[in-house]
């Protein structure tokens, strides 16, 4: 049996068997201000077919993993590298970038709260010369290409071992009462301290309020992995003793988990109070606890990282959830579809479940099949909100065979990011459209009565004897031209249009019959 046949067989099997994982509707955690309609049932725009799928890649800046390629590049070189990455995503039909802007309580953007990152300029606290704001640049260039920009922050890491010397501006020096040192040389903010929470919440609020971002994203680093401290317990004896003296009754482990739970819940509210459309995404370790589901073995993030990721999903304290399911489909004890099915059953509030997948398995034919299989299984198991986040952009660029295969098969056309009806379920008004035919060209011009409510436009085309197809345009686009007649005198029959708002709602489908023009 060929790899392709195996892929098709797996895909059909998991569609039939695992789509039985159902969820129930719960009350949304957060309601918008008056005038915004929210729901857990998605608005139906009556479009000819579904064009929604979240397609994202992580772009890491810690240790210069993905960008910039090394510290201290010129502004021109940094921008060229950023544009190369964004052009790659756009040309391969991705629609979101998860861009790391706070790798170690520092900033790859202008901030009054934390110093400029060493990974950017090669000197902690040093701004780019001449000045520019990298995050502002990334947001603008991403949006030009129809790509959402999600800022990725590490909430507790204070200093990385590859972050060079600790500067006088580092939080290790400015707020030492919040920081502990680990035995591997890293410094970590104590998650239990109110000062830690308030500082990181201020950072989140600052970014959301000042930048036109689409999402805020945390990964799997809460309390540090125990290996960072050579297997020893996290050094928070002082803060736990203070908690007990104040009358606290929780065990140390429960107290740690509650500290993180409280922070996650507050992050969600801070984001929504500033800009309700900005999504909050979490990408925790892929296993909640060994034995969940029954066949799963491995690391216990609940007991080791003090991350009750199941609770955060159950309570709807996030908008999208991307557990790091970095194992293969047939991995005994950590099977990708088994874990995805378990998380799906835990998704009781019906938030977006877009798994994080590892895409670097050596770059060979088996690597390609594994990645495409996982994308297709995810589509089959989660048909109401399809999506994956790829770790990371590096292997996509490294392995042309992989990225081209993804483009040729599952990502052969562009998609919209699925809407989030619990944030906003009120569609924009219909656009207006004017179509003129000249020679063999259909010229299409559109407009909208409320352009502030528009983030994208979609043009749908229907040729004789063919399926509908579509093109996606940005908010500033107002026209396009398409062939009226294809080979063998195949004529364009219908043109449709929708406007898309910031949370992904399409307006009611408007269609024009060209036979009547």
């Amino acid at each position: 049996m060929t790899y392709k046949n195996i892929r098709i067989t797996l895909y059909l099997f998991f569609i039939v068997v695992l789509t039985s994982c159902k969820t129930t509707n719960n009350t949304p955690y957060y309601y918008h201000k008056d005038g915004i309609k929210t729901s857990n049932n998605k608005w139906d725009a009556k479009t000819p077919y579904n064009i929604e799928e979240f397609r994202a890649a992580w772009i890491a800046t810690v240790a210069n993993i993905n960008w910039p390629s090394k510290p201290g590049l010129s502004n021109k070189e940094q921008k060229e590298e950023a544009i190369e990455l964004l052009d790659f995503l756009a040309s391969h039909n991705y629609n979101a970038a998860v861009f790391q802007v706070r790798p170690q309580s520092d900033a790859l953007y202008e901030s009054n709260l934390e110093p400029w990152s060493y990974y950017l300029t090669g000197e902690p606290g040093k701004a780019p010369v001449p000045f520019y704001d990298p995050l502002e640049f990334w947001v603008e260039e991403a949006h030009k290409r129809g790509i959402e920009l999600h800022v990725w922050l590490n909430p507790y890491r204070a200093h990385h071992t590859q972050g060079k010397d600790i500067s006088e501006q580092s939080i290790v020096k400015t707020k030492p009462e919040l920081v502990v040192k680990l035995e591997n040389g890293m410094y970590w903010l104590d998650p239990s301290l109110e000062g830690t929470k308030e500082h990181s919440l201020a950072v989140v609020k600052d970014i959301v309020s000042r930048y036109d971002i689409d999402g805020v994203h945390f990964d799997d680093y809460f309390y540090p992995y125990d290996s960072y401290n050579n297997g020893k317990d996290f050094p928070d004896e002082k803060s736990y003793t203070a908690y007990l003296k104040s009358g606290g009754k929780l065990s140390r482990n429960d107290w740690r988990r509650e500290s993180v739970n409280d922070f996650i819940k507050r992050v969600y509210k801070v984001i929504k109070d500033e800009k309700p459309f900005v999504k909050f995404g979490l990408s925790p370790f892929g296993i909640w606890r060994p034995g969940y589901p029954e066949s799963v073995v491995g690391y216990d993030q609940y007991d080791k990282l003090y991350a009750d990721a199941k609770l955060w999903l159950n309570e709807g304290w996030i908008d999208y959830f991307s557990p790091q399911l970095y194992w293969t489909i047939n991995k005994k004890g950590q099977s990708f579809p088994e874990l995805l099915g378990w998380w799906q059953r835990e998704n009781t509030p019906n938030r977006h479940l877009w798994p994080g997948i590892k895409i670097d398995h050596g770059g060979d034919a088996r690597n390609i099949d594994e990645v495409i299989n996982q994308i297709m299984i995810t589509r089959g198991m989660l048909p109401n909100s399809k999506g994956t986040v790829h770790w990371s952009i590096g292997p996509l660029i490294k392995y042309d065979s992989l990225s081209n295969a993804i483009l040729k098969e599952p990502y052969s056309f562009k998609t919209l990011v699925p809407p989030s009806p619990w944030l906003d379920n009120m569609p924009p008004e219909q656009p207006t459209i004017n179509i003129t035919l000249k020679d063999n060209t259909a010229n299409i011009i559109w407009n909208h009565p409320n352009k502030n409510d528009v983030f994208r436009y979609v043009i749908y085309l229907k040729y004789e004897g063919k399926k509908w197809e579509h093109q996606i345009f940005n908010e500033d686009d107002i026209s396009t031209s398409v062939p009226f007649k294809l080979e063998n005198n195949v004529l364009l029959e219908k043109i449709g249009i929708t406007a898309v708002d910031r949370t992904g709602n399409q307006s009611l489908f408007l269609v024009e019959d060209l036979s009547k023009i």
Side-chain angles (χ1 to χ4, degrees):
M1 183 179 286
T2 66
Y3 288 137
K4 189 168 185 178
N5 287 336
I6 292 172
R7 179 162 70 241
I8 292 171
T9 301
L10 283 167
Y11 175 50
L12 292 174
F13 173 79
F14 287 114
I15 285 180
V16 172
V17 176
L18 294 172
T19 50
S20 61
C21 304
K22 299 295 184 181
T23 58
T24 58
N25 286 329
N26 284 3
T27 302
Y29 168 75
Y30 180 87
Y31 282 98
H32 279 269
K33 297 177 181 178
D34 292 342
I36 303 296
K37 179 182 177 183
T38 63
S39 170
N40 275 339
N41 298 311
K42 186 176 72 173
W43 148 260
D44 183 5
K46 310 298 183 184
T47 55
Y49 61 109
N50 188 317
I51 61 168
E52 298 164 0
E53 183 174 41
F54 190 69
R55 301 171 177 174
W58 277 289
I59 301 174
T61 60
V62 65
N64 299 101
I65 292 175
N66 298 131
W67 183 90
S69 59
K70 62 181 181 180
L73 293 179
S74 68
N75 293 358
K76 181 176 182 292
E77 290 170 320
Q78 290 177 6
K79 291 179 179 180
E80 286 175 349
E81 288 187 356
I83 287 173
E84 182 179 353
L85 295 177
L86 290 169
D87 280 346
F88 178 90
L89 292 178
S91 66
H92 287 76
N93 293 338
Y94 287 74
N95 55 26
V98 183
F99 175 53
Q100 190 175 30
V101 300
R102 191 204 190 205
Q104 52 169 11
S105 296
D106 54 357
L108 282 93
Y109 60 95
E110 186 177 20
S111 172
N112 292 324
L113 299 174
E114 296 184 318
W116 285 97
S117 177
Y118 159 80
Y119 303 118
L120 184 69
T121 62
E123 182 180 329
K126 181 182 177 182
V129 179
F131 178 82
Y132 89 106
D133 188 322
L135 179 53
E136 189 175 77
F137 178 81
W138 272 85
V139 169
E140 181 178 344
E141 294 299 324
H143 287 175
K144 283 180 184 178
R145 292 159 176 79
I147 295 170
E148 287 195 352
L149 199 289
H150 295 224
V151 292
W152 166 17
L153 292 80
N154 293 87
Y156 299 124
R157 188 163 58 207
H159 187 75
H160 194 280
T161 51
Q162 297 186 43
K164 296 301 180 182
D165 296 333
I166 298 173
S167 72
E168 292 301 315
Q169 298 165 290
S170 168
I171 196 167
V172 176
K173 296 287 186 68
T174 61
K175 297 183 179 182
E177 71 279 5
L178 303 181
V179 180
V180 298
K181 186 177 182 179
L182 307 179
E183 292 203 0
N184 73 343
M186 287 192 189
Y187 289 81
W188 217 261
L189 297 173
D190 184 341
S192 73
L193 297 176
E194 183 61 24
T196 292
K197 298 176 189 179
E198 289 180 353
H199 178 76
S200 289
L201 286 168
V203 170
V204 172
K205 181 176 181 178
D206 177 54
I207 295 174
V208 174
S209 66
R210 292 195 296 119
Y211 294 92
D212 191 24
I213 60 170
D214 303 284
V216 174
H217 185 99
F218 293 168
D219 59 6
D220 56 321
Y221 292 105
F222 299 100
Y223 279 81
Y225 286 85
D226 46 343
S227 60
Y228 291 7
N229 206 37
N230 290 337
K232 297 179 181 178
D233 199 17
F234 185 75
D236 57 1
E237 182 65 34
K238 181 179 177 181
S239 49
Y240 185 59
T241 299
Y243 164 75
L244 294 177
K245 286 182 177 180
S246 70
K249 301 297 184 182
L250 294 176
S251 70
R252 196 164 185 170
N253 288 358
D254 287 342
W255 165 73
R256 287 171 175 169
R257 275 186 290 273
E258 183 54 33
S259 296
V260 180
N261 294 341
D262 175 64
F263 175 67
I264 294 298
K265 184 175 181 180
R266 288 165 68 178
V267 168
Y268 193 80
K269 187 175 189 307
V270 161
I271 294 169
K272 302 311 173 189
D273 285 347
E274 287 295 321
K275 292 177 183 175
F277 66 84
V278 173
K279 293 182 279 288
F280 182 34
L282 278 172
S283 179
F285 185 73
I287 297 170
W288 178 58
R289 304 202 73 180
Y292 296 86
E294 188 173 314
S295 62
V296 166
V297 297
Y299 197 80
D300 190 339
Q301 68 170 313
Y302 180 88
D303 192 50
K304 298 291 189 180
L305 304 180
Y306 308 99
D308 192 354
K310 172 180 171 295
L311 176 71
W312 311 335
L313 179 60
N314 294 159
E315 293 294 331
W317 294 342
I318 43 83
D319 298 309
Y320 69 94
F321 199 72
S322 300
Q324 296 175 17
L325 305 184
Y326 290 171
W327 303 278
T328 57
I329 292 166
N330 63 354
K331 173 70 172 174
K332 185 178 180 180
Q334 296 104 23
S335 166
F336 173 83
E338 279 192 288
L339 284 163
L340 182 59
W342 185 84
W343 284 113
Q344 164 71 344
R345 291 189 291 274
E346 291 300 325
N347 185 19
T348 50
N350 280 343
R351 297 298 188 253
H352 299 300
L353 179 55
W354 298 325
I357 64 174
K358 178 183 177 181
I359 60 173
D360 191 346
H361 299 278
D364 59 9
R366 289 180 180 272
N367 187 164
I368 293 169
D369 263 14
E370 182 66 38
V371 172
I372 292 177
N373 284 342
Q374 290 190 9
I375 293 172
M376 300 303 283
I377 287 169
T378 300
R379 288 178 173 180
M381 292 176 63
L382 308 170
N384 294 327
S385 179
K386 299 183 286 288
T388 52
V389 187
H390 296 193
W391 173 254
S392 66
I393 196 171
L396 292 170
I397 295 172
K398 180 180 179 181
Y399 304 125
D400 287 344
S401 56
L402 172 63
S403 54
N404 289 335
I406 295 172
L407 177 63
K408 182 180 178 181
E409 295 192 44
Y411 289 6
S412 60
F413 57 83
K414 291 187 179 295
T415 57
L416 297 173
V417 172
S420 304
W422 56 91
L423 299 182
D424 180 1
N425 199 39
M426 185 179 295
E429 296 180 62
Q430 285 183 308
T432 59
I433 189 170
N434 180 269
I435 303 167
T436 58
L437 304 178
K438 185 176 182 180
D439 299 327
N440 189 37
T441 300
N443 299 303
I444 311 167
I445 300 174
W446 59 86
N447 205 341
H448 198 274
N450 183 10
K451 293 183 179 180
N452 291 332
D453 198 26
V454 178
F455 197 53
R456 302 272 188 268
Y457 293 98
V458 185
I459 295 292
Y460 295 85
L461 306 171
K462 176 68 171 66
Y463 287 91
E464 291 176 331
K466 295 181 177 293
K467 295 181 179 179
W468 282 92
E469 57 189 73
H470 71 276
Q471 299 174 15
I472 299 175
F473 296 88
N474 285 337
E475 58 187 317
D476 294 330
D477 295 323
I478 60 170
S479 66
T480 190
S481 297
V482 297
F484 176 64
K485 183 186 297 184
L486 303 179
E487 294 181 3
N488 301 321
N489 292 320
V490 174
L491 298 180
L492 181 61
E493 292 180 321
K494 297 177 181 179
I495 296 176
I497 188 171
T498 61
V500 188
D501 68 17
R502 195 62 185 265
T503 53
N505 296 305
Q506 293 188 73
S507 61
L508 186 64
F509 183 61
L510 176 66
V511 62
E512 293 287 346
D513 188 339
L514 269 62
S515 66
K516 299 179 181 179
I517 295 180

